[in-house]
């Protein structure tokens, strides 16, 4: 079973792969995916995201980067909010 530190490490890895905190302008989620809005979409490394063992897939949907984790979506969202500061920057 994943530990809180696993979730924190995964969230930090995802944040690095989307271009860092400064690149995130919005973060939301649905039941299946984390949804990132980014200042510079080219800064996101989709290959690194999809290679991460927790990520089932990552894809662009219109102007959002969608990441579907294999587990712990809501925990990852909370960890990402903590890393971004609440609320996620606009």
């Amino acid at each position: 079973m994943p530990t809180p530190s696993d979730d924190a490490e995964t969230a930090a890895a995802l944040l690095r792969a989307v271009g860092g905190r400064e690149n995130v302008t919005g973060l939301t989620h649905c039941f299946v995916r984390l949804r990132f809005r980014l200042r510079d979409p080219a800064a996101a490394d989709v290959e690194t995201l999809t290679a991460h063992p927790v990520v089932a897939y990552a894809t662009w949907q219109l102007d959002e980067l969608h990441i579907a984790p294999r587990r712990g979506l809501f925990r990852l969202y909370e960890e990402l909010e903590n890393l971004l500061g609440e609320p996620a920057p606009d």
Side-chain angles (χ1 to χ4, degrees):
M1 178 161 204
T3 66
S5 66
D6 292 337
D7 293 333
E9 289 171 19
T10 298
L14 296 180
L15 191 57
R16 282 191 301 275
V18 300
R21 182 185 193 286
E22 311 76 35
N23 198 35
V24 178
T25 61
L27 174 66
T28 59
H29 67 83
C30 62
F31 256 14
V32 178
R33 295 171 280 196
L34 297 164
R35 299 173 180 211
F36 287 86
R37 286 187 177 264
L38 304 176
R39 275 189 181 82
D40 178 10
D45 187 345
V46 175
E47 190 173 311
T48 295
L49 287 165
T50 56
H52 194 285
V54 172
V55 175
Y57 68 89
T59 189
W60 287 97
Q61 181 86 27
L62 300 175
D63 61 346
E64 292 181 333
L65 177 59
H66 290 208
I67 301 171
R70 297 180 194 279
R71 60 166 175 78
L73 173 104
F74 300 111
R75 290 188 314 268
L76 288 173
Y77 179 78
E78 288 176 8
E79 290 291 344
L80 285 161
E81 275 191 325
N82 289 336
L83 290 170
L84 292 168
E86 289 195 45
D90 289 306

